[in-house]
Amino acid sequence: MNWTTRITPRSRARPGAAPALLSPLRWLLCAVVILCHGAGAAAQDKTDLWYEIAADAYLADSGDAVDRSTPRQALRGYMAAVERGDYAVAAQYLNLSRISEQDRAQVGPERARMLASVLRRQVWIDWSSMPARPDAMIERRPGANGPEPKPRRNLHLDTLEAGGTAYDLRLARFKPPDGAPVWLFTPQTVANVPPLYDAFGPRRYESLIPTALKHEVAGLWLWEWIALPLLALLVFGLGWAAHRAVHLMATRASRNWLKTGLTRSRLPVALIVMAGAAQAILSWVISFSSPVQAFLRPTLTIVMVWALGVTALRILDAILHKITLRFVGEIDDKRSFDERSFYTSIYALRRLIVLATVGIAATIVLLQLNLFDSIGMTLLASAGVLTVVLGIAGQAVLGNIIASLQIAFAKPVRIGDAVFFEGEWAYVEAIFYTFLRLRTWDNRRIVVPVTYFVSKPFENWSVTEARMMRVIDIWVDPMADVDALRASFCRMLDRDEEVIEPENAFVYATDQSEAGLKVSFYAMMPDPSTGWTAQSRLREQLMACLRDEHPEWIARSRVLDVGARDGSARTRAVGAG
């Protein structure tokens, strides 16, 4: 057969082209490469299903039914052997490759017993999430979206922290050379058992518990049902004693700021004592099982952090209040601009400290409970949803907090300022995160949301200084002599000690109508509160002057009488206007 290439006008050989003989060889070579690559990938995928171990890395089957084919069966068989007290069988679920062969028969059961004690006290096993497949693959629900589930050969049960070091508890799939793959506790988990047992194992007084009370009832040991109420009574008793002790200290305190701080810190201090006592009992006296620990550990951590934060904030409030009283005194509009600004700055400092304390406390709780690892990625993944939810649900609260900080730093209004807001004359008594508290002149309190307050126009009578011009309007008869009234008003100002700058006072006729002539008397007052009383007093004196010296100047209504028989009209006064 002639394998040479025939050149036709339609098919011309390119310079340097290979003969057609190589085309079948190329196809054959490509097929071999593809098959080899697929076989290699299959082999690689196969080895990703387990870890290769030696045949003697774990204790041989002792004859009992030991099922280690799936993670759920392995963990269930281990716990069942522990419940029976058969730690030799329980040791068959441990990978002992890091322990010498001559010590495995002795060390294996001991490590199985110690690991069971740690699991009982610190790990709450969620059996529904424990895979029941040999490859530990999580099956995707029908209709669910997401990446294709993959087989796993390593499962993380929990991470425990002891002595500042984190220890993992894991199950993994191992395959001996001539056997089926099995699920065992990893060698690293077996090596982590001694330090975890020292930190979370039985406490020194648990050996005194009778054996009859060491069986499970409704998920807890029988002795736990007895010990938990007794522990609660003891802790509450210590808390009550701490509360009474702080109360007695507050009643005997000689300084008001210390007395106030102790009085407000009674409950937080009691909670600190209660949480501390419970932690000490759990650490040194007795240790409960994992369901109780799963509830007590985060609860005590949250209570301790919250109580410490509240105690620190209340003591800080008392100190800031003492500083304010010492350098400023009771705040009102009579104080200077700098003093009112200083008082407002103290409130702003307190709000910043509260925000920082809340952030630090939340961080401590998350770190202590190891929640960053479990919810960190979830929070990042759902950041968009959380932003929308918080933006809708917390819009009013967040808006008020931001507006409160804006007032604290920009200071359009300060604590102690006299304001005229929606027809009410009041003092700014306090600026909180979400609302302002206004004190009216008659000691009523008006609570206004911060965002509502800053969105409405208001008069700040103390924005630069407390003094203000007050006006007294009096309607008099058009026949009244304004110059005489002006002279009488000047004499009144000279005698009044609460009026400042009497030389800058003035009197003008500012309006007229059928009711008479409106005369306005202007005088400078040192502050709004003093100005109100002085204004009222001067009004009384002006009316007394009209009544006693010029009663004919009092505004009157006039009636035109046209009822006379001769048709003439007469005008007569019918009373004061």
Side-chain angles (χ1 to χ4, degrees):
M1 183 178 294
N2 186 9
W3 290 96
T4 59
T5 304
R6 182 181 179 184
I7 301 176
T8 63
R10 294 185 179 181
S11 177
R12 296 181 179 270
R14 292 174 295 174
L21 175 64
L22 297 180
S23 296
L25 296 178
R26 286 178 180 176
W27 285 107
L28 180 61
L29 180 61
C30 291
V32 172
V33 171
I34 292 173
L35 291 176
C36 293
H37 179 74
Q44 180 67 27
D45 293 340
K46 196 70 175 178
T47 57
D48 286 343
L49 298 177
W50 51 69
Y51 298 98
E52 300 287 348
I53 58 171
D56 58 350
Y58 55 94
L59 298 180
D61 192 342
S62 60
D64 297 336
V66 177
D67 187 357
R68 297 169 289 197
S69 59
T70 68
R72 183 182 296 178
Q73 289 299 114
L75 190 57
R76 182 179 295 168
Y78 170 79
M79 298 303 295
V82 168
E83 291 295 332
R84 299 192 307 267
D86 194 348
Y87 298 108
V89 175
Q92 299 178 27
Y93 296 90
L94 308 181
N95 188 327
L96 305 175
S97 59
R98 296 190 182 182
I99 300 175
S100 60
E101 296 183 12
Q102 59 271 20
D103 296 333
R104 290 176 185 175
Q106 181 180 358
V107 175
E110 182 64 16
R111 293 288 174 89
R113 182 187 65 82
M114 297 166 64
L115 177 60
S117 180
V118 173
L119 292 176
R120 282 174 172 174
R121 288 168 169 80
Q122 296 297 321
V123 181
W124 196 347
I125 300 173
D126 184 7
W127 292 100
S128 61
S129 63
M130 190 62 57
R133 292 173 53 114
D135 57 3
M137 185 173 67
I138 299 176
E139 298 180 356
R140 188 163 55 185
R141 297 179 180 177
N145 297 322
E148 187 70 22
K150 296 181 180 181
R152 293 179 293 172
R153 59 176 181 173
N154 195 308
L155 293 179
H156 176 258
L157 299 180
D158 203 349
T159 298
L160 303 179
E161 185 174 347
T165 304
Y167 298 93
D168 286 341
L169 299 178
R170 293 180 176 273
L171 280 171
R173 194 183 190 194
F174 300 95
K175 185 182 184 305
D178 299 326
V182 293
W183 284 90
L184 305 171
F185 285 98
T186 63
Q188 185 61 51
T189 301
V190 177
N192 293 338
V193 168
L196 291 177
Y197 185 80
D198 293 338
F200 306 113
R203 301 298 179 254
R204 64 181 65 181
Y205 296 103
E206 289 189 37
S207 59
L208 303 177
I209 300 176
T211 306
L213 301 179
K214 293 183 179 180
H215 62 273
E216 188 173 326
V217 176
L220 300 179
W221 287 320
L222 180 59
W223 64 266
E224 289 180 315
W225 291 105
I226 302 173
L228 283 173
L230 297 178
L231 176 63
L233 289 176
L234 175 61
V235 168
F236 278 109
L238 292 175
W240 178 84
H243 189 278
R244 291 294 302 169
V246 175
H247 175 72
L248 293 176
M249 292 172 61
T251 56
R252 297 179 181 180
S254 58
R255 300 180 181 273
N256 289 332
W257 67 271
L258 181 59
K259 180 177 182 179
T260 302
L262 290 174
T263 302
R264 298 183 61 191
S265 301
R266 288 178 297 177
L267 179 60
V269 170
L271 292 176
I272 291 175
V273 172
M274 293 169 60
Q279 290 278 21
I281 292 174
L282 294 178
S283 299
W284 300 323
V285 179
I286 199 169
S287 178
F288 292 93
S289 59
S290 57
V292 179
Q293 293 280 2
F295 172 77
L296 287 181
R297 189 166 68 96
T299 301
L300 294 177
T301 301
I302 293 173
V303 170
M304 179 70 75
V305 173
W306 178 85
L308 287 173
V310 171
T311 303
L313 287 177
R314 291 186 175 179
I315 293 176
L316 178 65
D317 277 345
I319 294 174
L320 292 178
H321 185 65
K322 172 64 177 178
I323 294 174
T324 303
L325 293 179
R326 181 175 179 179
F327 293 99
V328 180
E330 292 296 335
I331 197 71
D332 54 25
D333 61 343
K334 298 179 182 179
R335 295 293 173 181
S336 67
F337 175 84
D338 293 336
E339 290 174 330
R340 285 180 276 117
S341 295
F342 174 71
Y343 199 89
T344 306
S345 298
I346 288 179
Y347 261 70
L349 176 63
R350 181 189 180 276
R351 286 194 290 274
L352 291 178
I353 293 175
V354 169
L355 287 177
T357 303
V358 171
I360 293 173
T363 303
I364 292 174
V365 170
L366 292 175
L367 290 175
Q368 289 293 323
L369 302 182
N370 294 324
L371 294 181
F372 277 124
D373 295 338
S374 58
I375 68 175
M377 296 306 298
T378 304
L379 290 179
L380 290 176
S382 59
V385 177
L386 288 176
T387 301
V388 174
V389 173
L390 291 177
I392 296 175
Q395 180 179 5
V397 176
L398 294 176
N400 281 315
I401 291 176
I402 294 173
S404 174
L405 294 176
Q406 177 186 356
I407 289 178
F409 291 104
K411 294 184 177 64
V413 63
R414 296 171 301 275
I415 296 175
D417 281 357
V419 297
F420 190 76
F421 180 70
E422 294 191 342
E424 293 285 353
W425 166 35
Y427 298 102
V428 179
E429 189 175 45
I431 303 174
F432 297 100
Y433 279 106
T434 57
F435 64 91
L436 285 84
R437 189 173 67 220
L438 307 179
R439 185 184 77 244
T440 61
W441 64 273
D442 54 355
N443 283 331
R444 291 179 293 114
R445 265 64 176 182
I446 302 176
V447 178
V448 185
V450 179
T451 53
Y452 181 82
F453 183 83
V454 298
S455 64
K456 299 292 183 179
F458 61 91
E459 297 182 19
N460 189 341
W461 293 350
S462 310
V463 63
T464 56
E465 55 183 354
R467 67 173 190 162
M468 64 183 305
M469 185 72 73
R470 305 289 294 191
V471 59
I472 304 169
D473 295 322
I474 295 180
W475 288 89
V476 298
D477 191 87
M479 303 300 294
D481 187 354
V482 177
D483 288 335
L485 293 175
R486 184 179 291 112
S488 298
F489 184 65
C490 290
R491 289 193 296 271
M492 295 175 190
L493 296 182
D494 292 336
R495 295 192 301 267
D496 199 316
E497 297 181 353
E498 292 186 345
V499 178
I500 63 174
E501 303 178 13
E503 66 278 5
N504 293 329
F506 47 88
V507 179
Y508 294 109
T510 56
D511 196 5
Q512 66 178 16
S513 67
E514 66 276 3
L517 183 67
K518 179 182 178 182
V519 182
S520 300
F521 302 82
Y522 295 89
M524 185 68 70
M525 305 299 175
D527 54 77
S529 57
T530 303
W532 187 85
T533 56
Q535 179 186 21
S536 301
R537 184 170 57 252
L538 290 172
R539 181 182 289 106
E540 293 175 0
Q541 295 176 12
L542 287 171
M543 294 305 298
C545 177
L546 288 175
R547 183 192 66 231
D548 298 337
E549 299 179 10
H550 306 283
E552 69 278 7
W553 292 353
I554 298 176
R556 301 173 185 275
S557 298
R558 287 174 169 79
V559 179
L560 181 64
D561 188 1
V562 295
R565 292 182 179 180
D566 56 359
S568 61
R570 293 179 299 173
T571 301
R572 58 189 178 89
V574 297

